[in-house]
Amino acid sequence: QNHLYQQLQRIDPSAGEGFFYDITSTYMEGSQCVIAKLGYSRDHRPDLQQIVIALMVTPQGSPFYWKVLEGNTQDITTLPSLVNELKSRFGLTKCHLVFDRGMVSSDHLDLLEEQGFTYLSAMDQDEMACHPLFHQFVPEPASKDDYEQMLALHEFQPTDENQFFFTREGQVGERRFVFSFDVSRFFEDIASRDKRIAQALAWVEQKNASLSAAQKSRNRETIEREVKQILNKRKLKSLLNVTITPIELQVLKKDGKTRTVHSFQLSAEIDKAKEADIRRLDGMTCFITNEATMSQAQVIQKYREKNKIEEAFREMKSQLALRPIHLTRPKRVKAHVSVCVLAYLLMNTMKMMLRKLGSSSSPEEVLNQSGSCQLNQVGFQSSSHRSITMTELTEQQQQWIKLLECEKYLKPKALNQLIKSLQNMLYLSTENSAIRSFNFPP
């Protein structure tokens, strides 16, 4: 990792000015690995044990720092050790760190400030709702009809030409709090909540129809559990109050007599006070930073660029087969992760080179087109002698090699070294075969 960082600095001197940091999880097959634990699953597989991976990339998206952690590691616990490693291992005395809101805490921000680092993150909605500046800047909720007046009244200023984003900033000590109002997300939040409320009310109506036609007495605890599940599923636990009222039904028996069945009826009511608090959060985000030179628009844009690390996780889990992991020994698990990170580093490097050259091709397309170029080993099963040749390059493959500055690897000396290093592997893998082909790494 130290070597990678030095090389990235050589290629791009600005690499040490800022980093994006985040963690993810990936699930394991089996339960024999000692670092695999049950935890919060980003893969939506809470039933499987997992590992946690911490990753840091440069502004260009190049990874150089990663760590494999136990599967129950929480996001917020990883930042202090990262800060120590940045100083002790990489010799960084100043840098700008962009990280996810799940890692924000007052202690962590204090630590970064003490170490002389600048940072950029965001507050989660619960934390933002309790902040004094939020109560000052957004004292009442907006509606679809009056949000523009509300923004103007409370001194929010547009940060883009189309007036889709509005910001207002406050400061506490060295920390800047940039409150952003996203018009598109404002309408999405309202529509999402209205839909979830409608779904919950429809469920209450259907449940009442079922309860009023009950032929046997119903259990209150069961009803309470079902109500709790639907409110949690629709994320309405604090907004919708559901009252359970016992009722008695007279059910006709086969002999013509009646018997009493104990059932329930549900009534749902929106908590108006909670609704007002929730509506104040519609479309709102609060960014927090101690970087004094960035404009409000730059703060928002820089935080959006955090998707570079999310893209890295996505590519490693899909294209580069990070998951699922079938290994059991911790060292092998860590090696598997390291191979995937290094593979992504190569893919990202190819992407940067192709972009610099003005090519619209993706690394995946280049690799697919280069896949027919192979080293071929030919021989007889009865003989240990093997002859190795390389498939003749197509014109397109020759162009890729030139564009990606790989021509030196096709010189006879380099090819001989490659063939020599592969001899043992090729021999072991072809003991029972006469002819084998291996993809030549572009």
Side-chain angles (χ1 to χ4, degrees), residues 186-306:
F186 171 72
F187 284 95
E188 289 173 3
D189 289 345
I190 294 174
S192 173
R193 184 172 57 253
D194 289 345
K195 180 179 179 180
R196 289 182 282 113
I197 290 174
Q199 290 172 335
L201 293 178
W203 178 86
V204 168
E205 185 177 348
Q206 293 173 359
K207 194 65 181 177
N208 279 337
S210 173
L211 291 170
S212 62
Q215 297 295 308
K216 296 181 180 180
S217 293
R218 297 299 181 93
N219 182 278
R220 186 185 184 94
E221 292 182 357
T222 301
I223 303 300
E224 289 175 345
R225 187 163 54 249
E226 291 178 354
V227 169
K228 184 178 179 180
Q229 288 175 348
I230 196 67
L231 292 180
N232 286 337
K233 181 179 180 181
R234 303 301 178 193
K235 300 179 181 179
L236 298 170
K237 184 178 179 181
S238 62
L239 179 60
L240 202 62
N241 295 327
V242 178
T243 303
I244 303 174
T245 305
I247 61 172
E248 291 184 351
L249 304 174
Q250 299 300 316
V251 177
L252 187 65
K253 297 193 296 184
K254 291 182 180 180
D255 59 5
K257 296 181 181 180
T258 60
R259 60 184 174 88
T260 300
V261 169
H262 298 282
S263 188
F264 303 90
Q265 283 290 281
L266 309 180
S267 58
E269 183 180 9
I270 295 175
D271 187 323
K272 296 300 182 182
K274 294 287 181 62
E275 182 187 28
D277 289 338
I278 292 173
R279 286 177 53 209
R280 288 169 61 211
L281 296 168
D282 289 341
M284 295 295 304
T285 304
C286 179
F287 303 96
I288 180 170
T289 181
N290 64 340
E291 171 57 68
T293 61
M294 296 173 66
S295 68
Q296 295 176 7
Q298 288 173 329
V299 166
I300 297 173
Q301 180 59 34
K302 195 69 175 178
Y303 190 77
R304 285 180 180 168
E305 291 176 3
K306 187 173 63 69

Side-chain angles (χ1 to χ4, degrees), residues 375 409 413-423 440-441:
L375 287 178
Y409 298 112
K413 183 178 180 180
L415 278 177
N416 289 335
Q417 290 178 341
L418 173 65
I419 292 171
K420 185 177 179 181
S421 67
L422 293 174
Q423 282 287 0
F440 181 78

Side-chain angles (χ1 to χ4, degrees), residues 3 19 27 32 34 70 155 163 178 220 259 336 348:
H3 170 75
F19 306 108
Y27 56 86
Q32 303 301 317
V34 295
E70 292 188 350
E155 302 178 8
Q163 296 193 350
V178 180
R220 186 185 184 94
R259 60 184 174 88
H336 173 75
N348 190 68

Side-chain angles (χ1 to χ4, degrees), residues 67-122:
K67 180 179 284 189
V68 178
L69 306 165
E70 292 188 350
N72 58 357
T73 304
Q74 297 180 345
D75 299 26
I76 201 167
T77 63
T78 65
L79 204 56
S81 62
L82 170 70
V83 173
N84 292 333
E85 290 191 82
L86 288 177
K87 294 181 74 72
S88 62
R89 287 182 50 196
F90 302 106
L92 292 172
T93 56
K94 292 183 180 180
C95 82
H96 185 67
L97 200 59
V98 183
F99 51 92
D100 190 70
R101 66 190 73 198
M103 302 178 192
V104 173
S105 74
S106 181
D107 291 341
H108 286 169
L109 300 186
D110 288 341
L111 173 63
L112 290 168
E113 291 166 359
E114 290 169 3
Q115 298 297 329
F117 289 178
T118 57
Y119 56 81
L120 170 60
S121 189

Side-chain angles (χ1 to χ4, degrees), residues 40-55:
Y40 174 68
S41 175
R42 284 93 175 160
D43 297 331
H44 307 291
R45 291 302 305 268
D47 57 314
L48 295 178
Q49 291 188 337
Q50 62 180 26
I51 57 169
V52 165
I53 303 169
L55 182 69

